[in-house]
Amino acid sequence: MEDCLLGYSLPELEVWLKEQGEKAFRAKQLYGWLQKGADFDEMRNLPATFRDKLKETERAQGVSIIKTLRSEKDGTEKYLFSLHDGNVVEGVLMRYHYGNTLCISSQVGCRMGCAFCASTLEGRVRDLTPGEMLGEVVTVNALHSEGDKRGVTNIVMMGSGEPLDNYDNVIKFLKLVSAPEGLNISLRNISVSTCGLCDRMDELAQLKLPITLSISLHATTDEARQKIMPVAKKYSVSRLLKACRDYVDIVGRRIVFEYALIEGVNTSLEDADRLADLLRGLLCHVNLIPLNDVKERNLSAPSQKGIEAFQKRLEERGISVTRRREMGADIEGACGQLRRKHLETEGQKP
Ligand code: SAH
């Protein structure tokens, strides 16, 4: 198989094992172990000969955790996952009163080139497979689950990578992670964030998945957006808003707009007014993110006062808006930061 065994659904495993001349009930046993994050050696109720045979040609799991950082302030944990080919990606677990939200990566690096994002500095190295994305969830879930209590209850695809640039694998991952016989994490508890690949958004709408779609908008005019997000040269703001309106019409779920506040770039009250005009009448919510400074690019967040004024103006204009809680700031919480640090200290080209 191309992917690790975790990347296969139960029916797929059943078919595959049958082809190998194995008994059908082995598939359920194997699947159960895989979903617990186990490697072949831990699968004690499987015959050693069977395990040895699998080991020769297959990998069980997609990732392993090689480093964990824990925030003393809020319990946020950041993980560095290693992939079988030596690449690394990162994930962040945020603890809330309602459960644990895991932020996962969908690609090694990213080719979208956003000016403020640490994940894109070296371009895209490769896509993650469905089994690797599920591996991020399975390993962290195994660390934190207790009895019937899930270790991971919510997922946001906001780590490194552009999920809709790895579309087929992401859709398969969503099916796997929500499978009732597997982790059974409801699609309603999963957010997929995109910089706005409109053609893929149109395609995604047709699937009518009850996920939350997040759009990284970050600017209100084509000129301003093109300066910080190369994808804006391909899709105009009006094309993007059309894709959003169509999406809401078809799927019937509200869209979340991410808006990173970058001093001197998109934080004026005129920007707030334009944003309110753009979103008028659309079923949506705005999430304001004070920029995590990227020193390489000389970009920073506005003052507290500036952030508050921007938020207040949106509220006055009737827009549903919240400011994202900053978590794990003491442990390189922002996208791509930990991986970059790892590459730097390993002496590789960051
Ligand atoms: N490629 C996807 C998902 C990954 S990034 C996307 O573009 O949506 C997740 C969110 O973090 C996006 O909204 C992204 O724009 C934002 N982000 C990236 N770098 C940031 C930074 N330095 N400060 C604040 N937000 C950032």
Side-chain angles (χ1 to χ4, degrees):
M1 289 197 177
E2 259 170 53
D3 201 355
C4 56
L5 293 183
L6 183 65
Y8 291 79
S9 66
L10 179 57
E12 283 169 341
L13 271 186
E14 280 167 349
V15 169
W16 181 69
L17 285 182
K18 214 169 155 192
E19 284 167 8
Q20 320 277 307
E22 297 292 342
K23 299 204 178 71
F25 71 91
R26 294 277 177 233
K28 246 196 192 113
Q29 291 176 319
L30 179 58
Y31 183 83
W33 283 115
L34 292 167
Q35 300 287 318
K36 286 196 182 84
D39 213 334
F40 294 125
D41 291 334
E42 300 164 71
M43 303 180 179
R44 288 179 302 272
N45 61 352
L46 295 179
T49 47
F50 176 56
R51 282 187 270 154
D52 288 345
K53 192 175 142 201
L54 290 178
K55 247 195 258 181
E56 265 174 39
T57 52
E58 309 302 327
R59 280 173 291 111
Q61 296 293 329
V63 309
S64 58
I65 296 175
I66 54 168
K67 187 170 183 178
T68 304
L69 298 178
R70 191 181 158 86
S71 163
E72 296 304 324
K73 283 192 203 147
D74 52 32
T76 298
E77 285 185 3
K78 180 131 197 179
Y79 313 97
L80 200 58
F81 299 107
S82 115
L83 312 176
H84 71 95
D85 60 359
N87 275 304
V88 294
V89 293
E90 56 198 272
V92 185
L93 186 72
M94 292 157 285
R95 327 291 289 268
Y96 297 102
H97 62 277
Y98 55 79
N100 294 335
T101 298
L102 181 66
C103 174
I104 63 165
S105 294
S106 56
Q107 293 175 320
V108 182
C110 182
R111 60 173 173 167
M112 296 296 123
C114 300
F116 44 82
C117 183
S119 298
T120 203
L121 294 169
E122 76 212 278
R124 180 186 62 172
V125 179
R126 73 166 172 89
D127 290 336
L128 293 198
T129 64
E132 287 169 335
M133 287 182 265
L134 185 59
E136 298 177 70
V137 185
V138 158
T139 49
V140 176
N141 184 65
L143 282 181
H144 287 279
S145 58
E146 286 168 37
D148 286 349
K149 220 173 120 221
R150 286 194 179 93
V152 174
T153 54
N154 299 64
I155 297 168
V156 293
M157 303 199 76
M158 295 190 181
S160 69
E162 164 52 47
L164 299 191
D165 186 38
N166 183 16
Y167 185 84
D168 292 341
N169 286 346
V170 165
I171 299 302
K172 169 113 198 243
F173 158 72
L174 292 172
K175 283 199 183 120
L176 293 174
V177 77
S178 59
E181 65 274 24
L183 288 186
N184 194 16
I185 295 177
S186 165
L187 291 177
R188 290 171 195 280
N189 293 354
I190 302 178
S191 290
V192 175
S193 183
T194 177
C195 62
L197 298 181
C198 297
D199 295 316
R200 289 301 197 185
M201 287 167 60
D202 294 345
E203 219 178 314
L204 182 66
Q206 298 304 327
L207 301 181
K208 298 193 178 138
L209 302 176
I211 55 167
T212 297
L213 183 64
S214 285
I215 307 295
S216 298
L217 185 59
H218 304 329
T220 52
T221 65
D222 287 328
E223 198 193 350
R225 200 161 186 265
Q226 282 169 10
K227 275 195 191 136
I228 51 173
M229 301 180 73
V231 68
K233 291 176 191 146
K234 180 154 187 209
Y235 300 109
S236 66
V237 170
S238 69
R239 168 72 176 97
L240 178 55
L241 265 294
K242 181 181 183 311
C244 292
R245 286 177 204 287
D246 291 347
Y247 187 91
V248 171
D249 284 346
I250 294 169
V251 185
R253 293 178 59 83
R254 79 173 186 178
I255 283 184
V256 174
F257 288 96
E258 308 286 333
Y259 196 95
L261 292 161
I262 313 173
E263 179 62 19
V265 174
N266 60 6
T267 57
S268 71
L269 292 181
E270 291 77 51
D271 286 310
D273 281 333
R274 265 196 304 269
L275 182 55
D277 289 341
L278 279 178
L279 303 185
R280 191 185 299 138
L282 181 62
L283 183 62
C284 70
H285 179 80
V286 173
N287 212 348
L288 295 177
I289 320 168
L291 190 81
N292 284 303
D293 297 356
V294 179
K295 59 177 189 309
E296 292 90 343
R297 300 289 168 97
N298 220 0
L299 298 172
S300 58
S303 66
Q304 290 303 321
K305 254 188 158 168
I307 298 169
E308 281 159 25
F310 195 92
Q311 179 167 1
K312 188 160 163 272
R313 178 59 69 95
L314 287 179
E315 282 165 355
E316 284 166 2
R317 295 285 311 267
I319 300 290
S320 158
V321 53
T322 45
R323 179 174 162 181
R324 185 188 284 175
R325 262 174 75 190
E326 283 148 89
M327 299 182 86
D330 53 335
I331 54 164
E332 315 283 337
C335 321
Q337 288 183 349
L338 181 62
R339 172 177 143 80
R340 269 184 73 66
K341 215 172 170 185
H342 174 78
L343 295 181
E344 277 166 12
T345 53
E346 294 286 296
Q348 299 176 22
K349 186 174 115 331

